[in-house]
Amino acid sequence: MYTALLTLHSYLRWVVILLAVVVLVRAIAGVVQRRPWTPADDSAARWFGLSIDIQMVLGLIIYVFLSPFTMSAWGDIGAAMRDPSTRFIVVEHQVGMIIAVALAHIGRARIRKSRDSAQRHRTALIFFGLATVIMLVSIPWPGRPSGRPLLRGFGAE
């Protein structure tokens, strides 16, 4: 179960990133072209929020219940904090992603409350943009000391 959920979590990352790009492109186009907020903009924002929520739930299930890596690290948290690679996976990845999810939800709530299209596009650009940057910084990309493969099942695990 651990391997299956970890693989799903790894692949779903690409869906989240793709949807982040979609909402950001739509927000930039809305700001630059001064176009109205459309149902397609709302749908893209909703799908981005849904995907990031699913990704977060999967990550938390792996982290809290299934990961032998995090369970071992929490067994000696002092040693985990001294090792940058372990600290990234055990603490920094989760904190960054929680902040990204919070920003996405705050942005979505503020978009729903706004009645002005220009403000909606600016809000989407700011909040979804910040969420995306934080997500990208918090992903354990290959080449980092804590790096993971781009696609599970391919490359070194």
Side-chain angles (χ1 to χ4, degrees), residues 30-76:
V31 169
V32 170
Q33 297 170 0
R34 293 186 176 100
R35 66 175 175 73
W37 182 264
T38 66
D41 294 317
D42 199 55
S43 180
R46 185 174 41 256
W47 280 106
F48 173 62
L50 180 62
S51 71
I52 200 171
D53 285 347
I54 293 169
Q55 182 71 330
M56 181 66 139
V57 168
L58 282 173
L60 287 173
I61 290 168
I62 293 165
Y63 183 83
V64 173
F65 300 109
L66 302 174
S67 174
F69 183 80
T70 56
M71 288 178 196
S72 172
W74 280 105
D76 187 356

Side-chain angles (χ1 to χ4, degrees), residues 136-148:
L136 292 174
V137 168
S138 300
I139 292 173
W141 296 108
R144 296 179 73 167
S146 57
R148 300 293 191 260

